[in-house]
Amino acid sequence: HKVWLIMTILKLELDSFVARTSLEKLKEFAKHPRRAVQAVTFTFDRLIRNTFGKQTDPWGKPWAELSPTTLSGRKRKGRNSIAKLVDTKVLFRSLQRKVDNANEGHVQIGTPDRPVLPHLFGNPTNRAWGGPIAPIPARPMLPIRPDGEVEVPIAWSAMINEEINKNLPPEML
């Protein structure tokens, strides 16, 4: 299975005159959104990659500590890192971003690598190489909840809106 965070960049709810005015400006901008969509894509990519450095999920909850078995396995291999999900950097390097050229408002950010699933959602019944149960705790790096719903954190939304505003033509501000 491939895991992709697929999102439509803009979802608007109108509840004020300011919002309706903004929508009119946005309709004009939507005719050629590529620059802002690319900026948003890079922002999402940066925020996702930052979860690895911060060792937290997108909502700020710290990732579970490494198990003693994992730490001893790393030590045996000569790697003393206690960082989670970045020891070999395979998962981090597998992250990709795509802007769909046919539909300029459609973005894909994620990884085609199957091993992301147990880290994203956890696997309480994991059996490494057929051995005893060795649960893998969830360490989400993508803003996807266990039910599959994308839930962009409020702090991320603010940064993404800032990127959109930076890439709007001056007459739209």
Side-chain angles (χ1 to χ4, degrees), residues 25-170:
K25 290 179 182 179
L26 204 49
K27 282 180 182 176
E28 282 302 307
F29 172 71
K31 293 175 184 171
H32 305 286
R34 187 154 191 80
R35 184 174 161 201
V37 170
Q38 286 179 327
V40 168
T41 303
F42 282 108
T43 301
F44 256 108
D45 184 66
R46 179 177 45 84
L47 291 167
I48 290 166
R49 289 176 189 281
N50 284 349
T51 64
F52 288 88
K54 292 178 180 178
Q55 302 280 282
T56 63
D57 71 19
W59 305 275
K61 180 182 173 191
W63 285 342
E65 294 301 318
L66 295 173
S67 73
T69 304
T70 299
L71 291 171
S72 67
R74 285 184 180 185
K75 191 172 187 175
R76 209 172 36 254
K77 295 174 185 173
R79 298 190 311 253
N80 294 316
S81 170
I82 59 168
K84 299 142 197 113
L85 302 184
V86 293
D87 184 51
T88 64
K89 296 185 178 55
V90 171
L91 182 58
F92 184 82
R93 287 185 191 135
S94 75
L95 292 171
Q96 300 174 9
R97 63 180 178 264
K98 299 177 186 178
V99 176
D100 183 343
N101 291 327
N103 179 3
E104 291 183 331
H106 191 252
V107 174
Q108 293 182 5
I109 303 172
T111 175
D113 291 347
R114 184 184 172 95
V116 74
L117 292 174
H119 298 295
L120 189 59
F121 302 120
N123 181 353
T125 61
N126 177 60
R127 289 185 183 272
W129 303 283
I133 290 180
I136 297 175
R139 293 185 180 107
M141 70 293 299
L142 301 173
I144 302 173
R145 293 295 189 181
D147 63 4
E149 288 294 315
V150 173
E151 183 184 318
V152 178
I154 292 169
W156 287 24
S157 292
M159 288 182 244
I160 290 161
N161 285 333
E162 186 178 317
E163 282 302 314
I164 290 172
N165 287 334
K166 277 196 252 179
N167 286 282
L168 286 173

